[in-house]
Amino acid sequence: MIRILFADKPENRPRYEGPLTRAIAQTGIVAEIVQPGETDPASVDYIVYSPQGPVQDFTPFTRAKAVLNLWAGVERVVGNETLTQPLCRMVDLGLERGMVEYVTGHVLRYHLGLDATLAAQDGVWRHDTGVPPLARDRSVVMLGLGALGRTCAEALAGLGFKVTGWSRTPKDISGIDCLSGPDGLHAALARAEILVSILPDTPGTTNLLNSETLALLPEGARIINPGRGTLIDDDALLAALDAGRVGHATLDVFRVEPLPPEHPYWAHPKVTVTPHIAAESRAETASEVVAENIRRGEAGEPFLYLVDRSRGY
Ligand code: NAP
């Protein structure tokens, strides 16, 4: 029998208990799922972790074979010096489909001008505003072509958008114009009528969108950021919105979360705030990935979605 410590927020345990128990049973492994405080840390084989959970010092978990993060983002654990065990992050269908729906929904909202449509329900029949562009006439840029960025970019290309993707290392993805490196970023920004970022929070992505890079965007560009809040220099974005350089921003992630009530984003007429809900970890699909990694650990096979801690994601 192996011992699995469920170290997410205690209130999430009821949601995970059934799915995790079932997913582990399906692997044929006999396991006991315990909570922090219920067992000797030195007897734990795997830690199911979230940054919101009670375990942040991994030193006592001398037997643990892996820390299995329920989140895709690892910025709050990757630099933890007490962590000596392999760290795996979450890549699963729930996060992927959630992100695709959030991104395509907000891209289509901008593309179709839905905010203006909803604001104009005033009895005036406006049929003289010209022929609206088709998706194939709209350039969308995706920063980040990882598990989530690539799938969203492919979904947008599937809707017909002209999609450019940008990543750290070069990529070749059918239907996407893939760029990389600093020159690639400048070229990508210059064509971004709608800019989406699904980049992780690392030293290399912090303040990537600043007054200099925002100035490269076409006038009135729209920004959608469900990646991480540190990507954006907030003062620079507010200035670009006020100047009309950026037409609107939809922001799901922030430097400080929850976004404080007094933050200027809340009241800004050109900002939509969503409360970090673009893609939620879902117990059913996340449990399957956790169980598969435990099966791999027990079989001596390589873990899925192992974080490269030197790279930071
Ligand atoms: P991933 O598979 O690790 O992909 C990360 C992508 O970013 C890769 O394409 C990577 O390039 C690129 N990248 C990293 N650093 C870069 C840099 N300095 N310059 C250029 N490109 C860089 O991650 P993922 O699963 O797609 O998730 C991405 C992020 O989404 C997570 O880290 C998390 O912060 C965020 N997220 C948000 C929510 C939400 O609800 N808002 C939910 C889930 C995830 P390479 O391909 O060249 O390595």
Side-chain angles (χ1 to χ4, degrees), residues 117-133:
T117 304
L118 294 173
Q121 299 300 296
D122 53 3
V124 180
W125 185 264
R126 296 177 179 85
H127 195 252
D128 54 357
T129 51
V131 180

Side-chain angles (χ1 to χ4, degrees), residues 72-75 89-91 95 99 144-149 166-171 198-202 204-205 226-228 252-253 276-280 311 313:
V74 292
E75 69 280 358
R89 66 190 199 89
M90 185 50 62
V91 176
L95 285 174
M99 191 61 92
L145 290 172
L148 299 175
W166 181 75
S167 53
R168 193 177 55 83
T169 56
K171 303 252 182 294
I198 316 185
L199 286 168
D201 173 5
T202 71
T205 61
R228 281 293 181 262
D252 187 55
V253 286
H276 200 146
I277 43 77
E280 292 282 331
R311 215 175 51 172
Y313 65 98

Side-chain angles (χ1 to χ4, degrees), residues 27 70 97 151 221:
T27 66
L70 291 171
R97 299 325 300 167
T151 312

Side-chain angles (χ1 to χ4, degrees), residues 84-140:
T84 52
Q85 300 85 351
L87 171 66
C88 302
R89 66 190 199 89
M90 185 50 62
V91 176
D92 78 329
L93 199 69
L95 285 174
E96 182 193 289
R97 299 325 300 167
M99 191 61 92
V100 166
E101 290 172 20
Y102 181 95
V103 167
T104 52
H106 285 282
V107 166
L108 284 169
R109 167 187 159 216
Y110 283 145
H111 171 63
L112 298 172
L114 290 184
D115 291 358
T117 304
L118 294 173
Q121 299 300 296
D122 53 3
V124 180
W125 185 264
R126 296 177 179 85
H127 195 252
D128 54 357
T129 51
V131 180
L134 290 172
R136 68 181 186 184
D137 305 318
R138 184 81 71 189
S139 168
V140 181

Side-chain angles (χ1 to χ4, degrees), residues 18-308:
L20 197 52
T21 305
R22 281 194 295 277
I24 289 165
Q26 272 172 6
T27 66
I29 291 168
V30 180
E32 177 189 28
I33 302 172
V34 294
Q35 292 201 76
E38 279 180 3
T39 193
D40 173 10
S43 71
V44 167
D45 295 288
Y46 296 91
I47 302 173
V48 178
Y49 167 85
S50 103
Q52 298 175 319
V55 171
Q56 303 304 334
D57 178 4
F58 298 96
T59 318
F61 297 94
T62 47
R63 186 165 120 179
K65 295 171 202 146
V67 172
L68 307 171
N69 192 11
L70 291 171
W71 290 16
V74 292
E75 69 280 358
R76 284 165 64 178
V77 63
V78 76
N80 186 323
E81 286 176 1
T82 69
L83 179 62
T84 52
Q85 300 85 351
L87 171 66
C88 302
R89 66 190 199 89
M90 185 50 62
V91 176
D92 78 329
L93 199 69
L95 285 174
E96 182 193 289
R97 299 325 300 167
M99 191 61 92
V100 166
E101 290 172 20
Y102 181 95
V103 167
T104 52
H106 285 282
V107 166
L108 284 169
R109 167 187 159 216
Y110 283 145
H111 171 63
L112 298 172
L114 290 184
D115 291 358
T117 304
L118 294 173
Q121 299 300 296
D122 53 3
V124 180
W125 185 264
R126 296 177 179 85
H127 195 252
D128 54 357
T129 51
V131 180
L134 290 172
R136 68 181 186 184
D137 305 318
R138 184 81 71 189
S139 168
V140 181
V141 170
M142 178 67 63
L143 303 182
L145 290 172
L148 299 175
R150 177 183 177 141
T151 312
C152 291
E154 289 175 330
L156 292 168
L159 288 171
F161 288 103
K162 286 189 285 185
V163 182
T164 300
W166 181 75
S167 53
R168 193 177 55 83
T169 56
K171 303 252 182 294
D172 183 6
I173 304 172
S174 168
I176 316 284
D177 188 4
C178 295
L179 304 175
S180 60
D183 291 347
L185 177 64
H186 292 183
L189 292 177
R191 61 175 84 154
E193 286 177 83
I194 302 174
L195 178 69
V196 185
S197 175
I198 316 185
L199 286 168
D201 173 5
T202 71
T205 61
T206 301
N207 287 332
L208 194 84
L209 287 189
N210 52 47
S211 51
E212 240 171 69
T213 48
L214 289 169
L216 299 171
L217 293 169
E219 190 82 10
R222 283 13 187 217
I223 295 175
I224 301 169
N225 183 22
R228 281 293 181 262
T230 48
L231 176 86
I232 296 176
D233 174 337
D234 294 322
D235 291 337
L237 177 58
L238 287 163
L241 287 161
D242 290 340
R245 163 137 296 283
V246 173
H248 201 278
T250 295
L251 307 174
D252 187 55
V253 286
F254 305 91
R255 283 191 144 75
V256 177
E257 295 182 9
L259 185 67
E262 65 280 8
H263 196 284
Y265 281 150
W266 281 115
H268 201 289
K270 294 181 183 171
V271 176
T272 298
V273 169
T274 58
H276 200 146
I277 43 77
E280 292 282 331
S281 296
R282 282 154 221 266
E284 288 288 345
T285 52
S287 294
E288 286 171 16
V289 175
V290 166
E292 170 59 11
N293 259 336
I294 291 172
R295 187 199 68 72
R296 284 169 170 256
E298 292 307 288
E301 295 173 20
F303 289 116
L304 294 172
Y305 318 126
L306 201 57
V307 173
D308 177 340

